[in-house]
Amino acid sequence: MQIDNLLSEGRSDYAAVDARQRNLHERVAAGETADTLMLIEFDPVYTAGSRTKPEDIPDANVPVVPIDRGGSVTYHGPGQLVVYPIIKVHGRQDVVAYVRALEQAVIDLLAEYGIAAGRVEGRTGVWIVRPGQFDRKICAIGVRFSSRTTMHGLALNVTTDLGDFDRIVPCGIRDAGVVSMRDLGVEQTLEEVAARLVPHLEQQLARFRVPVEETA
């Protein structure tokens, strides 16, 4: 799987990356290029998926970009590692299984840093669950399958300023919070975290990918 590392270019404009993602998606779907992981840090932006409700954006002055992924409204910005796996899916297109694979890759990554993370029943993403505390989401996930090829992906809070989530109801969930790796005592750059996440993604996504001999 090839890597399109936009982190080396600094923070990226959302519209420019979205256009780049869609061009890459078309090429992967057509078999013109290899499966790719896009690694990104965005300029501040709020995006709204297909399940966004008006009440999820209580501040009418928040500029929101509608986008064709699942999930509700979320925030992307400095200190957050965003990964878009663009892969051609082999066999059954099981979106739930694919989301679980992304979650597991992040759970395994966080375990390397001594962070115990997991899933919450009925809620997508990766969570920090502690007795007597609100559940806190550390990684949001929103994906789309089109032409048997995946789009969008995950957003992991590494050193994110969590105050930027306060203008929305993140992912439409009112009885939970958000957290970053920094808040949990891990101080790492996005490049360092990405380098350790990529192998976990490659391992978890291998079963979804079209075998090389079928793309030759």
Side-chain angles (χ1 to χ4, degrees), residues 26 30 35 38 40 52 57 63 67 86-87 89 95 106 109 114 118 129 138 145 153 158 199-200 206 209:
E26 289 181 5
D35 293 346
M38 297 181 70
I40 313 139
T52 303
I57 312 170
I67 199 69
I86 314 296
I87 65 172
V89 177
V95 178
V106 174
L109 164 79
V129 179
I138 193 168
F145 281 32
V158 180
H200 290 294
R209 298 176 58 206

Side-chain angles (χ1 to χ4, degrees), residues 133-147:
Q133 299 180 6
F134 273 129
D135 297 342
R136 294 170 293 169
K137 180 178 279 191
I138 193 168
C139 180
I141 294 175
V143 303
R144 182 186 180 209
F145 281 32
S146 176
S147 301

Side-chain angles (χ1 to χ4, degrees), residues 82-105:
V82 175
V83 184
Y84 291 162
I86 314 296
I87 65 172
K88 188 151 188 177
V89 177
H90 174 70
R92 183 184 173 208
Q93 298 185 80
D94 190 334
V95 178
V96 173
Y98 176 73
V99 168
R100 296 293 170 264
L102 295 179
E103 291 170 345
Q104 192 61 52

